[in-house]
Amino acid sequence: MASHDPNRVIIFDTTLRDGEQSPGCSMTPPEKLRVAKALADLGVDVIEAGFPAASRGDWESVQAIAREVRGPVICGLARCNRDDIEKAHGAVKDAPRHRIHVFLATSAIHREHKLNMAKSEILKAAVEGVRLARSLVEDVEFSPEDASRTELEFLAEVVSAVIEAGASTINIPDTVGYTTPQEFTEVFQYLKRHVRGIERVVLSVHCHNDLGMAVANSLSAALAGARQIECTINGIGERAGNCSLEEVVMALKTRESLYGLNTGIHTTRLYPTSRLVSTITGMMVPRNKAIVGENAFAHESGIHQHGMLKHHSTYEIMRPQDVGLSRTHLVLGKHSGRHAFRDRVRELGYELGEAELNRAFEEFKALADKKKELFDGDIEALVLRAGGDGGPWHIDALWTSATSGAAASAVVRLRHNDGRAVEQGATGDGPIDAAFKAIETATGLAVKLHSFEVRSVTEGEDAQGEAIVNVVHNERSYRGASISTNIIESSAHAFLEVINRILSTRSGARPAHAQLSADAATVRAAV
Ligand code: KIV
Ligand code: ZN
């Protein structure tokens, strides 16, 4: 990452930390590892892999990423206390290049209402936290949380002190998405004038999207001297989300003559990475979302289509291929061979190992027997779901029956990884309700259904239906999704995926309200 190009912007991805923290976006450890590998292929410079002190499960995920993912710096978040910092260190230390990211709120609102700490106490805790982190690793980032609502003088004082204590990256968060491009420019300009040693550190920016300005604010900060942008795939994150990686990167690339800045992102991997994160988290990308939305490169009106036919630059400022969107209406069917399948998978931007490819091809063949034509959406769905069925429970068989005017019934036969087999019947308002009830009884886990939807993956009467199930369990939301040409089957599989997710996160579960924001006790606990 060490680049001597003064115009190189470091892309710090926090999909696995700030993104994963948002409701309904939780990922299992294998999913986090898969996303981290995709982020490395995308070319991000730093992966914030998680908040190791949040739970044992988070710690283990960060450690697995630190051990297995090569390329980016692997970073762990920590509050300003010894336990957090040591846990972050333990989790990231096996990565060849690792970082501890220490944060502490500085604004009057947070000092008074959340921390109940005086300015002098904040200053002391921040310095001690950074010093401790610096005694463990060379690469330490510090964030004054809620910086954009902090008195500028105090902000400069804290930042000067943590630089002296050894921080090498200073991140300025707009934690609540409150600032504006012009105001944020002034914050950076002020810091550059008033912070001692600022020329020795990388200035970073971290914006939330509450007023829809996260990308604009991040770009303003970059113009004002920030050389690290913190962002997430698809802009997922707390509340309205974080700065979207694909948007900020493509803004820098498309308007390079204006910004004069560059990144190391392989932009053709943006679309596949976006699809992977959306599939894993269940956070649908809106059709009109910039860069990766389904309509981002679609031209519907006659005038636009006419212009596009004359020259694509009339209505297109980026080429879809530049972001890895290479969809065609090329159709595969049951006579398509392994080579054609593999080529299409590659053209769509996915690289599968031999074993995964073989399994996906088998599934492709099975699907081609049920469905006349297979579109890009079908192939993508097969590839993105590859490797997702780790259990512990699996459906071996499902029978349902429904007659109008009478209760529906379902019988499910489940198999557990430990060898157990359970057959269970139930009745319900419809066959899907009955199947869900049978699964709950068979697995012994009752959940509260929050939402359930079925949508078609592609066009056509024989299109596959994707079922998405959201439930609440112990105050946390979980989701599951599955696809099939039979929507009762996809619904049952999606429901079982939710149950599996709950069971597999139980051991390392993070408390219902993960205490990300430090309270006075956790900060004061001797650093
Ligand atoms: O939004 C925020 O302030 C954060 C910090 C932990 C950097 O996520
Ligand atoms: Zn944040």
Side-chain angles (χ1 to χ4, degrees), residues 14 17-19 21 48 101 145 171 173-176 206-208 230 237-239 241-242 516:
T14 182
R17 200 277 298 167
D18 224 345
Q21 215 170 290
E48 186 161 56
H101 177 187
E145 191 190 5
N171 180 43
D174 181 26
T175 304
V176 289
H206 175 113
C207 293
H208 281 264
E230 302 199 352
E238 289 278 7
R239 305 178 308 278
N242 285 57
L516 225 196

Side-chain angles (χ1 to χ4, degrees), residues 80-156:
C80 256
N81 68 63
R82 178 174 291 279
D83 186 55
D84 271 35
I85 293 169
E86 287 178 349
K87 282 197 172 116
H89 176 237
V92 299
K93 71 177 176 7
D94 292 339
R97 294 183 303 150
H98 48 266
R99 173 182 297 185
I100 298 178
H101 177 187
V102 183
F103 77 99
L104 180 59
T106 48
S107 68
I109 298 175
H110 282 234
R111 291 194 314 262
E112 282 158 28
H113 301 294
K114 186 178 82 177
L115 298 169
N116 191 21
M117 286 169 82
K119 281 181 175 172
S120 56
E121 292 176 293
I122 297 278
L123 196 62
K124 183 165 176 284
V127 166
E128 287 177 1
V130 167
R131 254 191 216 136
L132 173 62
R134 192 65 182 74
S135 72
L136 300 169
V137 298
E138 276 188 13
D139 186 349
V140 175
E141 170 169 335
F142 179 78
S143 289
E145 191 190 5
D146 206 16
S148 56
R149 293 192 299 170
T150 300
E151 307 89 320
L152 284 175
E153 233 175 278
F154 183 54
L155 186 61

Side-chain angles (χ1 to χ4, degrees), residues 72 84 189 205 210 266 298 335 358 368 374 380 384 494 504 514 519 527:
D84 271 35
Q189 287 170 343
V205 58
D210 298 66
H266 309 301
H335 299 298
N358 288 340
L374 278 92
E380 221 167 35
L384 289 171
S504 57
D519 55 21
V527 172

Side-chain angles (χ1 to χ4, degrees), residues 199-220:
E199 65 294 338
R200 296 202 303 270
V201 299
V202 174
L203 266 180
S204 168
V205 58
H206 175 113
C207 293
H208 281 264
N209 205 30
D210 298 66
L211 291 172
M213 290 190 281
V215 172
N217 289 333
S218 303
L219 291 169
S220 287

